[in-house]
Amino acid sequence: MTLFAALALGGCVIAPGGHMSYDTEDAPDLSHLVDIEPITPELIGSLERAERRVSPMPDELRGQLSDYEYNVGPGDVLSIVVYDHPELTIPAGAERSAAEAGNQVRGDGTIFYPFLGRINVAGKTSDEIRLQLTRGLSEYLTDPQVDVFVAAFNSQKVYVTGAVDDPGIVPITNVPMTIIDAISEVGGPTSAAFWHDLTFIRDGQEERLSLYALLSEGDQRQNRLLRDGDIIHVPTAENQGIAMMGQVRSPGNLAMNRERLSLSDAISRAGGINEVTADPSGIFVLRRQPETSGKLATVYQLDVNDATAFALAGGFPLEPSDIVYVTTAPLARWNRVISLLLPSIGLPGNIRGSSQNLEDLL
C-alpha cells in the first residue's frame, strides 16, 4: 500500500497541537512526516516572541570589531615616511599618489628598503612594520622617526553577488567591515532582492542569514565581521513567494520581497475567500521543515467558523515558500487536502508518484 493510499483509506483524526493518527490497524503511522498545529492565541503569542529579533550587537562581534587590526599582505602598497630624512621617503604629490609612489609588497611577502634590504612584512600590522623599520634603521640613524601606513589595499577582498546594485569585489581595509558595510558598498539590495534569505560562505562553509532581520529589524546577530575570501550572495525573490491555492478568488503566487506578510494579508491580496465554496474550518498553511528536523512539513490550521478568528490570521506571519490552501472539504476529509499539498513542497521519488492513487480512490 502506498503512502497516499494509506491516507485515503485511514480515517484521519487531528488532535490540536498533535500529529495525524489513523483508525485502521494496517495504516502506517505517518506522524513522523507531518505535524498539525491549530492557529490559536497561544501559537500567535509564541510566534510573536520568536519574531522579536531586534538584538544588540553580540559580545563576540563587539570584541572582534574592537580588536580588529589589518594585516598587510602581498599586493598591498606601503607608504613609509622617515622624518628629517627625505632621501628615505619617496615623495607623493600632484604627479604621483601615495599608492603609486609607495613600496608594493611582493608575492613572497617582502619589500625592499634602503640599508635593510628585503624585509618580510606579510601578516604584520602597520605598527609592527614601523617598529621593525625603526629597529633596523637605528643602526644607521640616530633616533629615527618612522611612520607607516597602507596606501593601497590590494591583498584581501570579499565578494558580493546576486541582487545588489553593483555586485563585485569589495576590498578589506584597516577599517573593520561587516556584512552591512559590504552590502552598502555595492549600492544595497535591488528591488528584486529577496530580503528574507542571504547566503554567507566562508572557507567553503555556507550559512543562511536573514537580510530582512539585519536591515529592517536591526538584528545584529545576523551580522558578521568579514575577512579575506568571504562571499555574500543576495538572492532574487523569484520563486520565493507565497502560493495561494484552493478557494480564494485570485489563486496564484504572492511576491515576498522586503516585507513580511501575515495570513490575513495574503488572503486579502488573493481577493479573499470564496465564501460560497470554501469550508470555514479548512484554511491551511503548509510549511516545509528542514531535513534535519526529521519532519516533512508542519501544517497550520485556521478555523474561521467564528469570524473573530480572522484576528488570529493577522498575527500569523507567513514565511517564504509557504503554501496557503483554502479547501472545500470539511476537516474529516483532510486526506484529500494533504494529497494535494504535499507534492507541492517536493517529496522523495518513491512517494511523489503515488498522489494519483489517492485521487483514484477519492
Side-chain angles (χ1 to χ4, degrees), residues 10-25:
C12 179
V13 179
I14 303 177
H19 308 295
M20 291 186 294
S21 59
Y22 303 88
D23 293 339
T24 56
E25 294 181 358

Side-chain angles (χ1 to χ4, degrees), residues 342-358:
L342 286 183
S344 301
I345 63 172
L347 294 173
N350 62 338
I351 298 176
R352 187 187 302 274
S354 61
S355 60
Q356 186 59 49
N357 296 24
L358 176 58

Side-chain angles (χ1 to χ4, degrees), residues 99 239 241 250 267 318:
N239 299 323
S250 300
I267 292 174
L318 295 177

Side-chain angles (χ1 to χ4, degrees), residues 22-362:
Y22 303 88
D23 293 339
T24 56
E25 294 181 358
D26 60 340
D29 179 10
L30 300 177
S31 62
H32 64 287
L33 287 180
V34 179
D35 280 342
I36 308 297
E37 289 283 351
I39 298 178
T40 63
E42 292 75 20
L43 176 65
I44 298 298
S46 65
L47 292 176
E48 287 178 347
R49 289 190 294 272
E51 287 296 314
R52 291 171 187 163
R53 293 182 174 178
V54 177
S55 176
M57 185 175 293
D59 291 339
E60 180 181 3
L61 178 57
R62 191 182 303 277
Q64 291 173 346
L65 294 173
S66 176
D67 298 337
Y68 176 80
E69 290 185 308
Y70 182 82
N71 295 313
V72 170
D76 287 340
V77 178
L78 302 180
S79 180
I80 301 172
V81 177
V82 183
Y83 294 99
D84 294 330
H85 291 276
E87 73 279 7
L88 296 176
T89 300
I90 301 176
E95 295 183 0
R96 291 198 304 171
S97 66
E100 295 172 322
N103 300 80
Q104 184 170 27
V105 182
R106 296 179 172 87
D108 61 358
T110 65
I111 62 170
F112 177 84
Y113 202 74
F115 299 119
L116 306 182
R118 297 181 69 174
I119 60 174
N120 184 52
V121 296
K124 299 177 181 178
T125 67
S126 296
D127 280 345
E128 290 172 338
I129 298 171
R130 180 180 62 80
L131 291 174
Q132 181 181 11
L133 291 172
T134 300
R135 293 191 186 102
L137 292 174
S138 294
E139 298 182 12
Y140 306 94
L141 306 175
T142 301
D143 191 22
Q145 301 296 305
V146 181
D147 195 9
V148 177
F149 65 91
V150 181
F153 298 90
N154 301 321
S155 67
Q156 301 165 55
K157 56 188 72 72
V158 300
Y159 306 86
V160 184
T161 64
V164 292
D165 189 60
D166 186 23
I169 295 172
V170 181
I172 291 177
T173 70
N174 56 348
V175 178
M177 180 167 57
T178 64
I179 289 177
I180 292 179
D181 300 325
I183 292 177
S184 297
E185 283 289 330
V186 296
T190 66
S191 59
F194 182 58
W195 283 51
H196 303 277
D197 192 16
L198 180 147
T199 303
F200 176 63
I201 303 174
R202 171 174 289 172
D203 299 331
Q205 300 297 314
E206 184 177 299
E207 184 179 9
R208 308 305 286 269
L209 303 171
S210 171
L211 187 61
Y212 178 86
L214 181 58
L215 296 184
S216 295
E217 298 181 339
D219 183 6
Q220 289 296 318
R221 294 171 298 179
Q222 307 290 316
N223 213 359
R224 301 290 183 271
L225 175 65
L226 300 178
R227 64 190 192 202
D228 185 33
D230 285 348
I231 300 173
I232 301 169
H233 179 72
V234 179
T236 65
E238 184 179 2
N239 299 323
Q240 296 289 347
I242 307 297
M244 302 299 297
M245 302 171 62
Q247 301 306 307
V248 291
R249 298 188 185 279
S250 300
N253 195 63
L254 298 180
M256 191 173 183
N257 289 27
R258 60 176 297 174
E259 60 183 341
R260 298 299 294 266
L261 294 178
S262 68
L263 179 55
S264 61
D265 292 332
I267 292 174
S268 175
R269 295 190 185 189
I273 295 172
N274 189 330
E275 297 179 1
V276 176
T277 57
D279 182 78
S281 67
I283 300 177
F284 300 99
V285 178
L286 184 73
R287 181 169 297 165
R288 185 165 189 170
Q289 296 300 316
E291 295 180 3
T292 54
S293 70
K295 301 290 182 180
L296 180 62
T298 296
V299 180
Y300 299 94
Q301 179 213 348
L302 180 65
D303 186 340
V304 291
N305 278 300
D306 180 355
T308 59
F310 274 111
L312 297 178
F316 184 85
L318 295 177
E319 294 185 1
S321 300
D322 277 353
I323 298 171
V324 178
Y325 188 89
V326 181
T327 180
T328 58
L331 195 56
R333 298 296 300 280
W334 167 254
N335 50 343
R336 184 175 182 88
V337 176
I338 202 71
S339 74
L340 292 171
L341 293 186
L342 286 183
S344 301
I345 63 172
L347 294 173
N350 62 338
I351 298 176
R352 187 187 302 274
S354 61
S355 60
Q356 186 59 49
N357 296 24
L358 176 58
E359 296 300 318
D360 296 339
L361 288 170
L362 293 173

